[in-house]
Amino acid sequence: MIIDSRNRKGIRARSTSVIAAICLCSGCNLLNLNVLQTIPIEEKISFRAEAVQFLRESAFSSDPIVTMQTLEALQEVAPHENPTYMVENLYTGHTGVTFAALMALGTLERTEFLEEYRIKAEDANPNVRIAAIYAMHRCGDKSRTGELPTFLMQHKKARVRANAALAIGRLGVPSAVKLLRRAMRNEKKTIVRNNIHEALLIHGDPQIERTIIQRGHSSLPLQAAEALMMLANARCQAADDVFRNRLVRAEHPEIKLEAARGLGRLGEADHYTLDLSARHLFFKSPRHDYKEDPRDQQIRRVRGLAALALEAIESPEALAALRAAFTVKDQSEAVKVAIARAAIRIIDVDLEKRRGEPPGRPPVRPSSISVDELAGDASIAESP
């Protein structure tokens, strides 16, 4: 789009002043700063292009965690991008990256790569086989779907069972509910039970809803944050009250932001929710009482969760803050991935509204980036 040169200087001056104000105040008390402001249409288009380009590049990051997050982001907010970024990641040699690429391609139903999935279904690593079978099923080849229950019920490694639960849940097959319930009765490992719980939540299991909502009220920060994340992923309407309660009463920013994201996914976020999320993009006040949780890790986690909350809220008023956070010096690559995907989602929704088009439906699978993954110390699947 061509921008009238007579207006360009004014546009740049306004946007620069907003960014400067936010960046200069990011280390001070953000309660006194108005961070909510949209940006002109030309700048939205430019920011979107910059965000997409960043995701294209980070799809080949030297950090496999970032690559995995990027592949999920491309799947969810830029599904019409050239799938080359996903296909090439099938052959990196890192199990987690291959797993993420197969799950993304399968979710997008890219049938043109069906033979690639069939080849990967013979891989020596069971995690890769699970994702390949998932992709095959999504693309119409259900010849090996029956192997997934065996991985879930019988495999010795908890990570494999957890990934099997993840894949089975994402298939969206109603008959999977009985299988998942049966697996849960005998499962002892938390990582597996969490994936089973989320899969059942997505299927609308009322008993699991009650259990996870109760956990959302937990005084244990990690337990509460994980529960709220699962409830948000499943767009659980019954969780409305716990989201609102934890948004205003929780002490830990991670809990507040997961609650904000949940309200956003339910379409019930208000100005306070938006403002709180935007301010946490510039979080710089980590706790010092957790030796196992380094300062930089806390900052990355909170900022990333803030971006994901804003993505769910979908308000164009968050764009000035997102762009400012995107350009912060030494910003974590993982945080920039979260910011980029939020910006793309918000801008696309805004442009659809401007054109009078109905909002595009969200992808089959909502974001499942966990607190640990945003910190960069966990992966979707085992490394080789």
Side-chain angles (χ1 to χ4, degrees), residues 43-221:
E43 295 185 30
K44 289 176 184 176
I45 294 171
S46 175
F47 186 21
R48 187 191 188 282
E50 184 179 1
V52 169
Q53 182 58 34
F54 174 78
L55 291 181
R56 289 172 179 167
E57 295 170 358
S58 59
F60 302 102
S61 171
S62 59
D63 183 344
I65 303 293
V66 171
T67 297
M68 291 154 58
Q69 293 172 356
T70 302
L71 294 176
E72 184 180 62
L74 286 166
Q75 166 211 311
E76 293 182 9
V77 302
H80 303 299
E81 275 292 300
N82 189 318
T84 299
Y85 310 102
M86 298 175 186
V87 177
E88 291 186 20
N89 272 299
L90 295 178
Y91 304 98
T92 62
H94 188 281
T95 301
V97 171
T98 304
F99 182 95
L102 285 165
M103 294 297 288
L105 288 163
T107 298
L108 294 176
E109 299 181 352
R110 302 303 300 239
T111 57
E112 66 266 41
F113 305 111
L114 186 54
E115 283 306 312
E116 305 282 350
Y117 313 151
R118 288 170 176 156
I119 291 171
K120 287 297 179 182
E122 304 294 337
D123 196 272
N125 190 292
N127 296 291
V128 173
R129 294 204 299 276
I130 287 169
I133 292 169
Y134 167 84
M136 288 170 60
H137 180 104
R138 292 279 301 169
C139 292
D141 184 349
K142 303 178 182 179
S143 61
R144 301 188 63 171
T145 306
E147 297 176 32
L148 294 178
T150 303
F151 285 117
L152 174 63
M153 303 294 292
Q154 299 181 17
H155 205 280
K156 294 180 179 180
K157 291 187 176 182
R159 173 60 71 179
V160 174
R161 298 198 303 277
N163 281 334
L166 182 87
I168 290 169
R170 292 191 187 187
L171 287 178
V173 179
S175 60
V177 172
K178 289 184 179 180
L179 170 66
L180 291 164
R181 286 175 177 165
R182 187 167 74 248
M184 187 173 62
R185 285 197 293 268
N186 301 317
E187 186 56 62
K188 305 298 182 184
K189 295 293 185 178
T190 301
I191 187 176
V192 187
R193 291 181 66 84
N194 281 347
N195 278 7
I196 293 173
H197 285 160
E198 187 168 331
L200 288 171
L201 272 178
I202 291 172
H203 282 280
D205 186 295
Q207 181 179 349
I208 294 300
E209 278 189 0
R210 290 191 293 270
T211 299
I212 305 304
I213 288 173
Q214 185 176 12
R215 288 186 190 174
H217 289 286
S218 173
S219 60
L220 302 175

